[in-house]
Amino acid sequence: LENWRSIMIVRLRTIFLTVCIFLPTAQAHEPLPEHFRSRPGGSQGRVDWEPLLVGEGLEGWTQWEGETQPGAWKREGDTLIGETHGRQKARISIGDETWQSYELSCKMKFSRGSSFQIAFRVSDDRSSFYALDFLYGWDALSISRRDGDTGAFNKKSVIPFDVDKNREYEVVVAALGHSITTHVDGIRYHQMTDENYEVGGVGFMVWHNGTVEFRDIKIRHFYKKVR
């Protein structure tokens, strides 16, 4: 009887420790309350969302010369549409290295292709940046870092995720100081730190044989650098 009691105590202790270890991971994907961070502010007052599709056409946006199929990007109302064919790719961005700490929000939907990226902390020469990568073939979400010297994409955090065609996702990417956080449909997926890139604009990318839509694109700046 004493041996049986000792065995049960050890088993219960093991179960308790296992739950304590994995509970924070399970909570990381809990939906956030609707009011979460709805009223952020700073020393200069409330931090409001600003639309990034303003004026006419693609005013203020830059299509990356040499890295974008001609005519790949177009605007329809509040929606930015990228479409590539064959082995072509398309990249477009806005902002500069005065953009430092911010949150980027958009609604994304794709109907063709295998990889679509939301770029942030994009350098002025567009050689280095981070990207939230929707990997259709992997069924995963990845935070990648593009090396400015080699052009290599290094995946820093890959999380299983059901990437479905013709479904609209609501995405928020927060780059605040050295902290990088992503939310999709109100659920947090990434929370990491990286000290390599501290400033830069935002952008969107579509790879081979892809069609993707980014709607209601907006940003709120927590801090901008003064040149």
Side-chain angles (χ1 to χ4, degrees):
L1 183 60
E2 287 299 324
N3 288 340
W4 179 85
R5 184 177 298 169
S6 298
I7 292 172
M8 289 303 298
I9 291 174
V10 170
R11 287 181 177 177
L12 288 172
R13 186 178 298 165
T14 302
I15 293 171
F16 175 77
L17 291 174
T18 301
V19 170
C20 289
I21 290 171
F22 287 101
L23 185 59
T25 302
Q27 290 178 334
H29 299 304
E30 289 292 322
L32 296 171
E34 291 185 5
H35 65 273
F36 178 73
R37 290 177 58 75
S38 60
R39 300 180 301 276
S43 60
Q44 297 180 344
R46 183 184 173 107
V47 180
D48 290 319
W49 289 106
E50 305 171 21
L52 287 179
L53 284 175
V54 296
E56 299 294 328
L58 297 175
E59 181 180 333
W61 292 80
T62 300
Q63 300 192 49
W64 298 14
E65 187 175 348
E67 297 195 55
T68 294
Q69 177 180 323
W73 293 100
K74 64 180 180 179
R75 175 182 172 183
E76 293 184 358
D78 70 344
T79 304
L80 182 65
I81 302 172
E83 185 171 12
T84 60
H85 301 278
R87 300 291 295 176
Q88 299 287 337
K89 56 188 176 183
R91 296 173 176 172
I92 192 169
S93 61
I94 190 171
D96 55 41
E97 292 182 5
T98 65
W99 292 19
Q100 185 164 355
S101 289
Y102 51 76
E103 292 181 343
L104 172 68
S105 171
C106 69
K107 298 176 177 65
M108 188 212 81
K109 178 175 68 175
F110 79 101
S111 57
R112 298 168 55 245
S114 61
S115 179
F116 310 91
Q117 297 171 326
I118 299 174
F120 53 101
R121 297 268 170 89
V122 180
S123 62
D124 284 352
D125 64 3
R126 297 180 289 279
S127 65
S128 60
F129 52 85
Y130 299 105
L132 174 61
D133 199 343
F134 286 76
L135 299 166
Y136 178 68
W138 287 24
D139 254 352
L141 277 177
S142 170
I143 291 288
S144 300
R145 187 180 70 218
R146 191 195 194 200
D147 187 284
D149 295 325
T150 66
F153 275 92
N154 300 305
K155 291 179 172 60
K156 310 304 295 181
S157 176
V158 181
I159 295 176
F161 180 83
D162 289 330
V163 184
D164 297 324
K165 292 182 178 179
N166 298 309
R167 173 184 170 183
E168 187 172 74
Y169 297 95
E170 186 169 357
V171 184
V172 177
V173 176
L176 303 172
H178 294 151
S179 173
I180 298 171
T181 309
T182 68
H183 293 87
V184 181
D185 293 336
I187 298 175
R188 186 178 73 235
Y189 283 92
H190 299 92
Q191 187 167 32
M192 56 176 284
T193 58
D194 191 291
E195 300 181 5
N196 283 269
Y197 308 142
E198 297 184 344
V199 296
V202 300
F204 301 99
M205 309 176 189
V206 54
W207 289 77
H208 314 140
N209 286 312
T211 301
V212 64
E213 300 178 7
F214 299 98
R215 184 172 69 84
D216 190 23
I217 306 168
K218 54 190 177 182
I219 194 169
R220 54 183 176 188
H221 292 278
F222 289 79
Y223 183 76
K224 279 187 175 183
K225 290 187 68 175
V226 178
R227 288 183 183 260

